[in-house]
Amino acid sequence: MPNHDVIKRQKALKVFGNVLYNPNLWCLNRRSAAGAFAVGLFMAFVPLPSQMIMSAGVAIICGVNLPLSVALVWISNPITMPLLFYFAYKVGAMVMHVPPQPFHFELSWEFILQQMHTIGPPFLLGCLICGILAAWRVTLGLEGYGAIRL
């Protein structure tokens, strides 16, 4: 993990002040790793292009391993994202008791807005459920079957 002196000398990181000097952000222990897995896996199911930035922010706020939480977001990469998000949509549709809609892709704003009205609610609910379950299950496995402490 990087040395604190190296972090202090980085001009681009000076905007964060002393918040990056928390030792849990850079060391690997059971609590820090479990929290990083929870943050990273939850953010992997967030359907926004700024997953890494959000993961870094939540890791800093929670005081968990920063590099690990940012790296775990890449579970949802351009190859796996269609499968993860389709699964999330199916979970959301099942929970909402909505029959799954047929899907065909068209690259236009009209298509995206129309799809957000039909598949948007089950998709977003499924992303939330899958993110919470993935973070919760992995965190229990890493920290033991006790209380989750972030």
Side-chain angles (χ1 to χ4, degrees):
M1 293 295 150
N3 187 342
H4 288 294
D5 294 329
V6 174
I7 296 170
K8 287 179 185 178
R9 285 188 296 233
Q10 297 293 323
K11 290 181 183 179
L13 298 177
K14 289 191 184 207
V15 296
F16 294 106
N18 292 332
V19 75
L20 293 179
Y21 303 137
N22 181 353
N24 276 333
L25 294 178
W26 306 104
C27 69
L28 281 173
N29 56 39
R30 181 175 273 175
R31 181 195 176 282
S32 175
F37 267 82
V39 169
L41 290 177
F42 180 80
M43 289 299 166
F45 282 96
V46 173
L48 295 173
S50 57
Q51 294 170 321
M52 290 174 59
I53 295 168
M54 291 186 298
S55 179
V58 173
I60 290 169
I61 291 169
C62 294
V64 298
N65 189 282
L66 180 62
L68 187 57
S69 66
V70 171
L72 281 165
V73 168
W74 279 95
I75 287 175
S76 66
N77 58 59
I79 295 170
T80 62
M81 197 177 289
L83 295 172
L84 289 174
F85 286 165
Y86 181 69
F87 178 74
Y89 167 70
K90 295 287 269 185
V91 167
M94 181 183 70
V95 169
M96 292 179 72
H97 302 291
V98 174
Q101 301 293 317
F103 183 76
H104 67 284
F105 183 73
E106 206 176 288
L107 189 57
S108 71
W109 282 111
E110 181 181 322
F111 169 77
I112 292 172
L113 294 175
Q114 188 268 334
Q115 289 299 315
M116 286 313 291
H117 288 291
T118 58
I119 68 169
F123 171 64
L124 294 175
L125 178 64
C127 286
L128 179 67
I129 290 170
C130 290
I132 289 171
L133 289 177
W136 176 66
R137 178 64 187 116
V138 170
T139 303
L140 283 180
L142 287 175
E143 205 172 81
Y145 289 97
I148 298 175
R149 296 176 299 272
L150 288 181

